[in-house]
Amino acid sequence: RRSFCSPDFIMKFTAAILALAFGSASAFVQPTPARVSTVAKAGFDGNSPMEYSKAGMQTVSDLETLAGELNPVVKFFDPLNLAEQEFWGDSNEATIAFLRQSEIKHGRIAMFAFVGYCAQANGIHWPWAMTKAGDMFPSDLTPPEQWDAIPEAAKWQIFMVIAFLEFWDESTGDHYMRGGKIGAFAPLAGPDSPLPHPVPFNLYDPFGLSAKKSEEAKARGLKIEINNGRLA
């Protein structure tokens, strides 16, 4: 009769326990994923991971080339190393797309604000009444004073329009952080617009002046726009 305390039994029992322990632990180790051309990230929206192709998305080297074309004197300037980050756990390419989209968008807003300030400072306003009661736009005040003078309802109308345009830009078409075209704004009018209500003009190129331009001319125009946005 074999004793449970014999050295032979203890050695075999110990080996079995160790085998079970290491085998169970290996079940919780994540296997090394195969290298593929797509990435699976939780992404900027914080939802479950999704796969998307990084083909055609810009890298740091593309930013360095673009910076030299925009400003041959300063060239690439990134003291905070933002272009090397991975925001919200997303890929570096998606982060670069976010940074480029942000610069283009805020540059456009800055240019629009500069032109608007100059117009308001010189008393230029719409020819019709500001309210249904017949109140005219204030023109004998500074631009900040004019903002304070308009009704609260008018301010909320402005905020709602801005919120809708931001929602439309982020939710329509291919997103710029998923390979979509950076700086493009989804159409509001025409057959390509999914809006159920007809809109007479698009926010981008409302009169179709850029429709017949070549891709080279559009790329050059975007570079000019970026420099003007930085100046504004």
Side-chain angles (χ1 to χ4, degrees):
R1 186 168 118 183
R2 181 176 297 179
S3 173
F4 289 106
C5 296
S6 65
D8 181 60
F9 178 82
I10 293 174
M11 184 180 297
K12 291 181 179 180
F13 182 76
T14 303
I17 292 298
L18 291 175
L20 289 173
F22 283 111
S24 300
S26 64
F28 295 95
V29 177
Q30 183 176 1
T32 303
R35 295 181 63 88
V36 294
S37 60
T38 59
V39 292
K41 295 283 187 177
F44 57 92
D45 54 4
N47 294 327
S48 57
M50 60 174 294
E51 286 194 355
Y52 63 94
S53 174
K54 296 192 294 184
M57 299 182 71
Q58 293 181 324
T59 61
V60 177
S61 61
D62 295 320
L63 293 184
E64 294 173 349
T65 301
L66 177 63
E69 297 173 352
L70 292 173
N71 192 324
V73 177
V74 178
K75 296 184 178 180
F76 187 67
F77 183 73
D78 184 21
L80 300 179
N81 293 325
L82 295 178
E84 299 179 3
Q85 305 303 312
E86 294 183 351
F87 292 171
W88 305 291
D90 217 318
S91 66
N92 178 248
E93 289 82 357
T95 300
I96 290 175
F98 170 80
L99 293 172
R100 286 216 59 211
Q101 174 77 7
S102 298
E103 181 183 27
I104 293 172
K105 180 186 295 184
H106 288 89
R108 290 169 177 171
I109 295 172
M111 290 186 288
F112 188 77
F114 176 79
V115 174
Y117 192 97
C118 293
Q120 288 180 266
N122 287 276
I124 301 174
H125 56 80
W126 299 113
W128 51 79
M130 181 178 63
T131 65
K132 293 183 178 180
D135 300 325
M136 298 301 296
F137 288 93
S139 58
D140 55 345
L141 305 174
T142 64
E145 291 172 339
Q146 292 178 39
W147 170 258
D148 293 336
I150 65 175
E152 290 295 323
K155 295 176 182 178
W156 279 108
Q157 287 176 0
I158 295 173
F159 290 146
M160 293 302 293
V161 170
I162 294 173
F164 167 75
L165 294 177
E166 184 71 11
F167 166 79
W168 188 256
D169 184 34
E170 293 290 331
S171 62
T172 307
D174 296 329
H175 198 272
Y176 49 87
M177 291 180 68
R178 293 295 180 263
K181 187 176 181 180
I182 297 174
F185 192 87
L188 296 170
D192 297 331
S193 174
L195 273 180
H197 189 281
V199 176
F201 301 108
N202 282 314
L203 181 65
Y204 169 73
D205 195 21
F207 304 108
L209 301 179
S210 300
K212 296 182 180 180
K213 288 185 178 180
S214 64
E215 292 299 322
E216 292 77 11
K218 292 180 180 178
R220 180 178 177 274
L222 181 59
K223 294 175 184 176
I224 295 174
E225 181 185 32
I226 293 174
N227 279 331
N228 290 335
R230 291 175 177 178
L231 180 61

